[in-house]
Amino acid sequence: MTNSLKNTYFVRPLKWAGVLSLSIVVVGCSEEQANTTEDAIEETISIEGRTTVTYWHNHTGRGLEAIEQVASDFNDSQEDVFVQPIYSASTEGDDQRLLTAIAGGNPPDLAHFDRFKVAQYAAENSLEPLTPFIEEENYDMDIYYDYAVDETTYEEDIYAMPLTTDSRLLFYNKDRFKEVGLDPNDPPQTIKELEHAIDKLSTIEDGRVMELGMVPWTAQGWFYTWGWAFGGDFYDMETGELTVDDPKNIEALEWLVSIADTYDAATVTSFDTAQGSNEMDPFIQGIYSMKVDGPFSISTINQYNPDLNYGVTPVPTPTGDHFTTWSGGTSLIIPKGAKNAKEAWEFMKYLGGEEGQRTYSELNNQMSVIDTVNEEIYGDNEIMKEFIDILPESNARPPIPSGQLLWNELDRAVEYAIHGRGEPRALLEKVARKVAEAEK
Amino acid sequence: MEKTELGKAPKLRKNKRRSNESLAGWLFALPWLIGLAVFFIYPLLSSIYYSFTDYSILQSGDFIGLANYRELFQDELFWISIYNTVYFAVLFVPLSIIFGVALAMVLNMRVRGMAVYRTIFFLPTLVPHVALAILWIWLLNPQFGLVNAMLDFFGIQGPPWLGSTFWSKPALVLMSLWGIGQAVIIYLAGLGDISQEYYEAAEVDGASFLQKTFRITLPLLTPVIFFNLVMGFIGAFQQFTLPYAMTNGTGSPADSLTFYVMYLYDNAFSYFRMGYASAMAWILFVIIMLLTAIVFWSSKRWVHYQGD
């Protein structure tokens, strides 16, 4: 009797307390461990006789594996330089940690960087020019796609080593094409054919949109995409003049407005407000039958709807030829104030060269800025091949200090135009004025 | 004589002890005070200076006098962002008070399991704003969103919410109302503070529920409403995370969700116009201060304290 009492009222709680405290200890330990490894990563590793190059990147998952592989390959081949990759979170738009590190005079030796922002940082005198290294060693920048080098150039100096790239194509749902009587092996090539396809692929019942052929300004249908497709241009590399209000650009915007008027901009855009979430992509859901997107969306399709029967084709143009696209991508920079610029350049050459690019691109599923590397990795992939085949015709966004402002203002102009808050010509002229003003 | 001496002596001792204590107190507070000076007061004051320069973070700027302020008043987006912010504040703050008070009164009833209901209404305030934004993007999706599905049930065709320049701000108000749990807690405390005697006296006089609500509950709740009004306006004018996360910082569609602090952030961190952004921050400070002053000034007419 007493024994069983003891067991129920005394021992059992003790057991629980034991389990609880044990689990607390375990959790505590693992937390401590996590903290120490994190600290260790932030602390500079020093190896006798070698200079440590600190390298900030924002890669996780497969990307992290790629970075670590490339760094360790390089380190194995070296006796003087040791590259230490350090994770530093950043997003497409903001790189605040790097920004404050440069402003505070304590930057890393190397950083992964969106090529789009090179001119802006260079204009602020925050990047180390690479031109002296390139000239001294006669490093061949011609191995890269022209547009990629254009984007790293500011006032005749090169400020970044291009690493990755992308391009934009029209994705189309082959099954939907068959359903409505369009030839899935003959996707639209001209703007007229595209309009026809959008019309056939859209189902509107009692004023409610059930399915849409395409909403041209969603996904990667930025104004750059359509401006270049219509044969327009945004910048004259020779004179350094902005040509935002190019008549062809105005035509492109007028076309977007005509689609918005036909299908009601608010209604069709609202389907796409869940852009941030992958499985809600209307193309994957089968609500949109076409979209303009980049190679980065392929893995999303494979993950959420691997059975989707789709194809890719160049973005249609008014004439059905002179297909074009545009590309962004990442690069490596040496921030102003870096302590080991010379050693950082050694690693840049490695990662920027064929061997480094092959390892990095393959592990990280990225398109390289070297055509032979792309051919080798993606040559026999039907869809990826389309993405690399168009690269020689690709464009870079204008490498100007106000690149971000220009991007935002173009996006704004499209939205104002499709929501009926201004005329295409006036809107683009305003963008041109505003950006020219900021460039002064 | 003796009495005063006796009285004096402990007083002296007490004073000495007090000064020792206050020294220790200051020493304990010192780290915080240094932190306040270095990380708050100094940046605050330097932002006044920077608002008169073209400072870009990466390079120290030149003194340009009032140029930032002059440019701001001609900046179309500055006015759009003010319009949006005021629109949101004027719609959201009164609604949050009406719903908040109503909800608090419901949650103040003596019903079994009230703690559970209170928890349910407080839970949404614990969700991080970015997660909340994503959740509501789904809820408001016109194709497969819950909100329009519910409207559909009543035979109403729901608006395109976040796709339309007209509906985007009301949608944001709707989303923000989801997080009034915090205010409700304060209202509940206020309701608990009202003495039961008033109600008992009113019941003896045969007052109806409505009479009790409008003659007793609401007037005695005005100090709490006043507090939530001031805090609500300050919060509404600093609206940032929800619209920023929802629109990827673009304020789409067509700037209908570009709020004041979003435009300030863009200038500071996208365009590196720290001086311009500092000027915007000070203008916001003046606006909020004036507004708070007006609310305080008007409070004399409508805020009743128990025992007044």
Side-chain angles (χ1 to χ4, degrees):
Chain A
M1 181 75 181
T2 42
N3 255 350
S4 70
L5 249 183
K6 247 190 198 166
N7 220 354
T8 357
Y9 292 107
F10 186 63
V11 178
R12 201 179 282 166
L14 258 190
K15 257 192 219 158
W16 280 112
V19 170
L20 205 68
S21 55
L22 192 71
S23 56
I24 289 169
V25 169
V26 169
V27 170
C29 278
S30 58
E31 240 166 45
E32 204 167 292
Q33 241 168 0
N35 281 341
T36 48
T37 43
E38 207 167 89
D39 289 345
I41 288 169
E42 286 282 303
E43 214 164 277
T44 311
I45 300 170
S46 50
I47 294 170
E48 227 188 288
R50 290 172 79 167
T51 311
T52 302
V53 168
T54 48
Y55 168 26
W56 284 11
H57 64 87
N58 61 348
H59 290 49
T60 51
R62 287 187 67 142
L64 182 65
E65 275 170 44
I67 291 268
E68 278 171 352
Q69 185 61 51
V70 171
S72 103
D73 287 352
F74 173 78
N75 287 337
D76 290 346
S77 75
Q78 278 286 316
E79 279 171 7
D80 308 324
V81 183
F82 178 81
V83 168
Q84 183 190 358
I86 297 170
Y87 173 78
S88 167
S90 74
T91 61
E92 211 177 303
D94 317 295
D95 228 334
Q96 289 174 15
R97 191 179 178 201
L98 186 65
L99 181 71
T100 43
I102 297 173
N106 191 26
D109 297 316
L110 263 183
H112 217 85
F113 203 68
D114 190 337
R115 220 158 43 224
F116 178 56
K117 291 185 294 185
V118 166
Q120 190 180 7
Y121 274 66
E124 291 289 338
N125 198 20
S126 300
L127 303 180
E128 204 65 58
L130 304 183
T131 319
F133 297 118
I134 293 169
E135 278 172 2
E136 197 187 314
E137 299 185 18
N138 255 328
Y139 186 82
D140 186 10
M141 292 298 282
D142 288 341
I143 58 170
Y144 305 118
Y145 296 112
D146 290 342
Y147 67 84
V149 180
D150 286 350
E151 210 174 23
T152 62
T153 310
Y154 178 67
E155 289 188 342
E156 285 166 21
D157 268 321
I158 291 177
Y159 284 92
M161 174 70 83
L163 288 184
T164 64
T165 193
D166 54 22
S167 53
R168 278 132 194 91
L169 293 175
L170 182 76
F171 284 64
Y172 62 101
N173 185 328
K174 289 186 172 174
D175 289 343
R176 286 280 299 144
F177 266 55
K178 256 180 261 167
E179 268 173 54
V180 299
L182 290 165
D183 183 358
N185 297 314
D186 183 24
Q189 292 189 308
T190 67
I191 294 291
K192 277 268 160 294
E193 285 167 15
L194 181 64
E195 271 175 16
H196 175 70
I198 295 175
D199 180 50
K200 286 212 106 172
L201 291 160
S202 301
T203 337
I204 296 164
E205 284 169 17
D206 315 326
R208 284 193 199 204
V209 182
M210 312 308 283
E211 277 149 339
L212 275 169
M214 180 188 201
V215 183
W217 52 86
T218 59
Q220 288 291 315
W222 303 103
F223 190 58
Y224 281 118
T225 308
W226 295 110
W228 272 311
F230 270 73
D233 204 356
F234 296 86
Y235 185 65
D236 188 335
M237 276 300 267
E238 304 296 310
T239 61
E241 296 263 329
L242 280 167
T243 56
V244 174
D245 48 357
D246 185 314
K248 302 275 186 193
N249 289 347
I250 296 172
E251 241 174 75
L253 190 51
E254 280 166 349
W255 178 72
L256 290 177
V257 171
S258 76
I259 297 288
D261 288 347
T262 313
Y263 297 96
D264 184 45
T267 309
V268 297
T269 307
S270 60
F271 289 177
D272 206 52
T273 43
Q275 261 183 30
S277 51
N278 301 323
E279 64 273 40
M280 304 280 275
D281 180 326
F283 182 75
I284 293 178
Q285 294 272 334
I287 297 167
Y288 295 171
S289 308
M290 296 182 284
K291 68 166 176 177
V292 174
D293 217 331
F296 32 81
S297 70
I298 295 172
S299 61
T300 320
I301 297 175
N302 290 342
Q303 189 178 350
Y304 294 105
N305 192 358
D307 301 327
L308 192 70
N309 182 16
Y310 70 98
V312 291
T313 186
V315 177
T317 62
T319 50
D321 50 12
H322 298 295
F323 297 114
T324 175
T325 189
W326 63 274
S327 304
T330 58
S331 62
L332 280 180
I333 51 140
I334 304 177
K336 200 76 167 200
K339 284 160 206 81
N340 306 302
K342 180 93 191 65
E343 289 78 5
W345 166 252
E346 290 301 316
F347 180 66
M348 268 189 169
K349 274 191 303 186
Y350 177 74
L351 185 45
E354 267 199 48
E355 190 188 329
Q357 289 264 304
R358 200 176 301 122
T359 315
Y360 176 75
S361 306
E362 194 154 23
L363 284 176
N364 194 21
N365 253 342
Q366 293 278 341
M367 279 157 63
S368 165
V369 276
I370 302 176
D371 53 0
T372 49
V373 173
N374 281 332
E375 193 56 45
E376 202 183 311
I377 305 179
Y378 302 114
D380 46 7
N381 180 325
E382 202 184 317
I383 294 227
M384 284 303 285
K385 201 165 162 17
E386 293 272 342
F387 280 100
I388 55 175
D389 282 349
I390 195 130
L391 285 179
E393 308 304 322
S394 191
N395 298 283
R397 290 159 286 179
I400 56 168
S402 307
Q404 185 66 50
L405 179 71
L406 176 56
W407 173 277
N408 291 1
E409 289 301 320
L410 284 176
D411 191 32
R412 184 163 278 132
V414 171
E415 290 202 354
Y416 276 59
I418 61 174
H419 286 283
R421 299 192 164 189
E423 292 303 315
R425 177 186 298 275
L427 286 166
L428 288 179
E429 281 170 356
K430 202 164 105 189
V431 174
R433 261 201 317 278
K434 191 162 180 178
V435 177
E437 184 66 31
E439 282 287 290
K440 268 187 212 158
Chain B
M1 279 294 271
E2 247 183 31
K3 250 187 182 174
T4 39
E5 268 177 22
L6 271 173
K8 262 181 189 171
K11 206 178 175 190
L12 265 173
R13 226 179 291 140
K14 213 175 171 184
N15 262 348
K16 202 176 170 198
R17 192 164 68 215
R18 195 178 293 159
S19 74
N20 269 344
E21 268 177 13
S22 69
L23 182 70
W26 281 105
L27 276 174
F28 272 114
L30 199 61
W32 182 81
L33 285 173
I34 292 173
L36 181 80
V38 173
F39 297 112
F40 189 72
I41 296 173
Y42 170 72
L44 195 78
L45 294 178
S46 37
S47 96
I48 298 185
Y49 169 73
Y50 284 132
S51 76
F52 299 114
T53 65
D54 58 357
Y55 177 51
S56 74
I57 315 180
L58 290 164
Q59 284 177 326
S60 57
D62 299 323
F63 191 82
I64 52 168
L66 287 170
N68 282 332
Y69 292 90
R70 265 200 300 274
E71 192 187 331
L72 267 176
F73 287 111
Q74 284 155 15
D75 183 342
E76 202 184 348
L77 257 182
F78 169 78
W79 291 109
I80 291 174
S81 70
I82 286 196
Y83 168 78
N84 287 338
T85 310
V86 171
Y87 181 120
F88 174 79
V90 166
L91 200 62
F92 170 72
V93 176
L95 282 177
S96 73
I97 288 175
I98 294 168
F99 283 112
V101 171
L103 194 59
M105 282 165 67
V106 173
L107 291 177
N108 200 35
M109 292 191 294
R110 293 203 183 82
V111 184
R112 265 177 78 95
M114 191 43 89
V116 176
Y117 297 125
R118 289 185 178 181
T119 310
I120 288 172
F121 282 102
F122 187 71
L123 270 179
T125 63
L126 301 178
V127 179
H129 274 192
V130 176
L132 195 70
I134 291 169
L135 179 75
W136 273 92
I137 284 174
W138 289 340
L139 292 178
L140 290 172
N141 186 298
Q143 187 79 4
F144 24 69
L146 192 67
V147 174
N148 277 10
M150 269 161 63
L151 288 175
D152 209 38
F153 184 75
F154 295 107
I156 304 165
Q157 188 177 342
W161 297 113
L162 299 173
S164 133
T165 51
F166 181 80
W167 286 103
S168 58
K169 277 187 283 284
L172 191 72
V173 170
L174 192 72
M175 294 165 63
S176 304
L177 283 176
W178 218 55
I180 56 174
Q182 207 102 40
V184 169
I185 294 287
I186 301 173
Y187 288 126
L188 274 172
L191 288 174
D193 233 20
I194 298 173
S195 168
Q196 283 301 315
E197 288 167 24
Y198 296 118
Y199 294 106
E200 283 158 15
E203 263 159 40
V204 170
D205 290 340
S208 69
F209 172 76
L210 279 181
Q211 279 171 323
K212 279 190 281 183
T213 303
F214 285 99
R215 297 283 163 87
I216 301 172
T217 313
L218 287 181
L220 289 178
L221 205 59
T222 47
V224 181
I225 294 177
F226 170 61
F227 172 80
N228 275 334
L229 184 68
V230 173
M231 299 312 280
F233 267 119
I234 293 176
F237 270 87
Q238 295 178 345
Q239 176 69 268
F240 177 78
T241 317
L242 270 185
Y244 190 87
M246 265 165 45
T247 67
N248 283 326
T250 62
S252 59
D255 281 326
S256 63
L257 290 179
T258 299
F259 285 88
Y260 193 87
V261 183
M262 280 167 71
Y263 186 45
L264 188 159
Y265 178 89
D266 259 356
N267 276 308
F269 295 104
S270 299
Y271 310 146
F272 295 170
R273 301 194 67 192
M274 230 2 137
Y276 200 62
S278 295
M280 283 190 77
W282 281 96
I283 291 175
L284 180 66
F285 172 73
V286 170
I287 293 176
I288 291 181
M289 208 176 63
L290 281 178
L291 214 87
T292 313
I294 292 172
V295 177
F296 262 91
W297 169 78
S298 79
S299 73
K300 287 189 206 104
R301 290 154 202 265
W302 60 272
V303 177
H304 307 278
Y305 292 96
Q306 277 187 78
D308 267 6

